[in-house]
Amino acid sequence: MSSNTNYPGLPFQVKSRFLPIKDLDVHILEAEPEISFNTTTKPPLLILLHGFPELAYSWRKVMVPLSAAGYHVVAPDQRGYGHTKRRSLHNEYDRITFTEDLAPFRMLNLATDIVSLVYALGYTSVAAVIGHDYGSMVAGHCALIRPDLFESVVLMSAPYIGAPAPSAPLTPPVKQISDALATLTPPRKHYVAYYSTPEANDDMCNPPQGLHTFLRAYYHVKSGDWSNNAPYRLHELSASSLAQLPLYYVMNLHETMPQTVVHDTPSSDEAANNAWLTDTELSVYTAIYKETGFQGGLNRYRCMMDGRWSEDLRVFAGKKIEVPAMFLSGQRDWGVYQLPGAVEKMREETCKKMREEDFVLVDGAGHWVQQEKPEEVVECLIRFLRRQ
């Protein structure tokens, strides 16, 4: 089913359509190579999975170059985001509420969404599943669970550490450390804990500075443009160690996310001169999140705060990613080091085939690396893919 979605800044080669998948009508953006393939040979498939608060649109700058390299490139609006909606709904957008069932947002179901997408596209193999931010977690689980289907994986901005151990407590480390963060001076809280509250969605949907200005500030402070982003490894998972993270990761206890980032809102001149996220492009995010709210994405963080929603992953405890893996992020991205020890565990234990040259931090880029430095990202991806 085709879509009339017409995003500014979206290359004309990128098409928009819907696919019925499980309980969803999934909105995808896709770009296909111009070279012809016969009826028995399809171009290799790449699946691109966005993070929070992002959309399939976040991949707009890399899709055409990847398709020009011979790949069928597909980026879905994942469950709870953008134009993807539950099939039972007749309105254009799916506005999820805090009181709804969390089960559809548990990780195993999110990975199953992507497996189902692959088959709905008519494929039985994927050259690479590529995930950014929270999408990195989904991509990692796809490669861990179905190495027969996903031939390689690229983890972007968020290190992947595998399935939980059978003995892992149902109370995740972030929740365990919350009390200690609150005793600091000044008292602090982890952003995942904040995102799990009933108030977070309303805070971000109705910020005092306006939704567009809030999103501009949020994307700015996590980008390479913000001068205070100079990340380094943290030595331990403790309140004092995590307090070294920027306020957008470990917030002041009594502030909302809009209050946290408002102090670093770029000037009107800085916003006007932003080449990687123009005001017209930002308006796409503003318009869509105004309709959907943020709860669909926030529900994933709520699942992270309650180990019951990952119990079904324990059957994969100890399993490694057997397929070739790459980690790709910005050199100015604190997301790489926000969880102490995660990078080391990913490289030394979880991913059996992550080469030294496939741990890449792009110079000058922050968290939104595929938007900030798309040419460098495409170059890294193609180098990795062509070696497989």
Side-chain angles (χ1 to χ4, degrees), residues 98-154:
F98 185 85
T99 57
E100 292 179 37
D101 186 10
L102 277 181
F105 295 92
R106 70 193 193 281
M107 182 56 70
L108 188 59
N109 195 54
L110 299 179
T112 304
D113 287 343
I114 306 309
V115 171
S116 301
L117 170 63
V118 172
Y119 283 101
L121 290 164
Y123 280 80
T124 56
S125 66
V126 181
V129 56
I130 302 168
H132 175 252
D133 186 79
Y134 204 99
S136 174
M137 305 296 102
V138 182
H141 279 93
C142 285
L144 181 82
I145 297 168
R146 291 296 306 272
D148 59 314
L149 185 61
F150 300 97
E151 297 173 354
S152 66
V153 62
V154 180

Side-chain angles (χ1 to χ4, degrees), residues 217-232 244-249 261 264 276 330-337 362-368 372:
Y218 188 85
Y219 290 133
H220 173 72
V221 298
K222 297 187 76 173
S223 77
D225 296 340
W226 195 52
S227 59
N228 290 341
N229 283 330
Y232 51 87
Q244 299 172 63
L245 291 168
L247 289 174
Y248 56 76
Y249 276 133
V261 302
D264 297 293
W276 65 266
Q331 175 260 340
R332 297 174 64 83
D333 181 7
W334 266 107
V336 180
Y337 302 119
V362 177
D363 189 50
H367 188 66
W368 323 105
E372 296 179 59

Side-chain angles (χ1 to χ4, degrees), residues 160 233 342-352 354-357 359:
Y160 174 74
R233 283 180 170 83
V343 165
E344 292 76 14
K345 184 170 183 179
M346 174 185 68
R347 299 181 73 180
E348 298 167 12
E349 298 179 30
T350 307
C351 297
K352 293 186 68 175
M354 181 177 285
R355 297 187 181 190
E356 186 70 27
E357 63 267 30
F359 182 87

Side-chain angles (χ1 to χ4, degrees), residues 1-3 15-19 26-28 30 72 121:
M1 180 171 55
S2 63
S3 166
K15 307 303 180 186
S16 168
R17 64 180 173 122
F18 290 88
L19 288 172
V26 175
H27 173 244
I28 66 169
E30 64 182 334
H72 181 181
L121 290 164

Side-chain angles (χ1 to χ4, degrees), residues 228-257:
N228 290 341
N229 283 330
Y232 51 87
R233 283 180 170 83
L234 303 179
H235 296 299
E236 61 182 4
L237 184 62
S238 67
S240 59
S241 183
L242 292 183
Q244 299 172 63
L245 291 168
L247 289 174
Y248 56 76
Y249 276 133
V250 177
M251 307 163 62
N252 287 327
L253 182 62
H254 300 296
E255 288 190 339
T256 68
M257 188 59 78

Side-chain angles (χ1 to χ4, degrees), residues 50-55 77-84 289 296-297 300:
H50 64 79
F52 177 86
E54 295 183 279
L55 301 162
D77 282 336
Q78 293 190 75
R79 180 182 292 271
Y81 287 89
H83 289 278
T84 290
Y289 277 105
R300 301 178 178 210

Side-chain angles (χ1 to χ4, degrees), residues 8-290:
L10 192 69
F12 72 89
Q13 301 97 324
V14 177
K15 307 303 180 186
S16 168
R17 64 180 173 122
F18 290 88
L19 288 172
I21 296 171
K22 299 169 58 184
D23 60 322
L24 302 173
D25 284 328
V26 175
H27 173 244
I28 66 169
L29 298 178
E30 64 182 334
E32 299 185 76
E34 292 184 4
I35 57 175
S36 60
F37 287 79
N38 62 46
T39 55
T40 59
T41 305
K42 296 181 178 180
L45 179 64
L46 301 180
I47 299 290
L48 312 181
L49 305 177
H50 64 79
F52 177 86
E54 295 183 279
L55 301 162
Y57 180 72
S58 302
W59 299 101
R60 65 195 176 282
K61 297 186 178 184
V62 302
M63 294 184 71
V64 172
L66 290 173
S67 68
Y71 295 95
H72 181 181
V73 185
V74 174
D77 282 336
Q78 293 190 75
R79 180 182 292 271
Y81 287 89
H83 289 278
T84 290
K85 63 179 182 178
R86 289 166 289 185
R87 197 170 305 116
S88 59
L89 300 182
H90 299 291
N91 49 313
E92 184 178 358
Y93 294 98
D94 192 347
R95 195 172 185 93
I96 293 163
T97 65
F98 185 85
T99 57
E100 292 179 37
D101 186 10
L102 277 181
F105 295 92
R106 70 193 193 281
M107 182 56 70
L108 188 59
N109 195 54
L110 299 179
T112 304
D113 287 343
I114 306 309
V115 171
S116 301
L117 170 63
V118 172
Y119 283 101
L121 290 164
Y123 280 80
T124 56
S125 66
V126 181
V129 56
I130 302 168
H132 175 252
D133 186 79
Y134 204 99
S136 174
M137 305 296 102
V138 182
H141 279 93
C142 285
L144 181 82
I145 297 168
R146 291 296 306 272
D148 59 314
L149 185 61
F150 300 97
E151 297 173 354
S152 66
V153 62
V154 180
L155 310 163
M156 297 176 63
S157 296
Y160 174 74
I161 58 174
S167 58
L170 288 179
T171 304
V174 168
K175 193 168 186 178
Q176 294 176 36
I177 210 166
S178 291
D179 290 343
L181 286 172
T183 67
L184 296 175
T185 305
R188 308 278 289 276
K189 64 185 174 189
H190 200 278
Y191 79 105
V192 173
Y194 168 72
Y195 280 166
S196 301
T197 64
E199 300 81 21
N201 180 60
D202 187 62
D203 290 343
M204 293 191 288
C205 286
N206 301 288
Q209 64 266 53
L211 181 57
H212 192 80
T213 301
F214 161 58
L215 287 173
R216 171 61 76 190
Y218 188 85
Y219 290 133
H220 173 72
V221 298
K222 297 187 76 173
S223 77
D225 296 340
W226 195 52
S227 59
N228 290 341
N229 283 330
Y232 51 87
R233 283 180 170 83
L234 303 179
H235 296 299
E236 61 182 4
L237 184 62
S238 67
S240 59
S241 183
L242 292 183
Q244 299 172 63
L245 291 168
L247 289 174
Y248 56 76
Y249 276 133
V250 177
M251 307 163 62
N252 287 327
L253 182 62
H254 300 296
E255 288 190 339
T256 68
M257 188 59 78
Q259 290 171 336
T260 297
V261 302
V262 70
H263 310 294
D264 297 293
T265 302
S267 68
S268 56
D269 285 344
E270 288 176 309
N273 292 323
N274 187 314
W276 65 266
L277 184 61
T278 68
D279 213 51
T280 301
E281 291 171 325
L282 179 61
S283 294
V284 173
Y285 296 94
T286 305
I288 291 177
Y289 277 105
K290 181 180 179 181

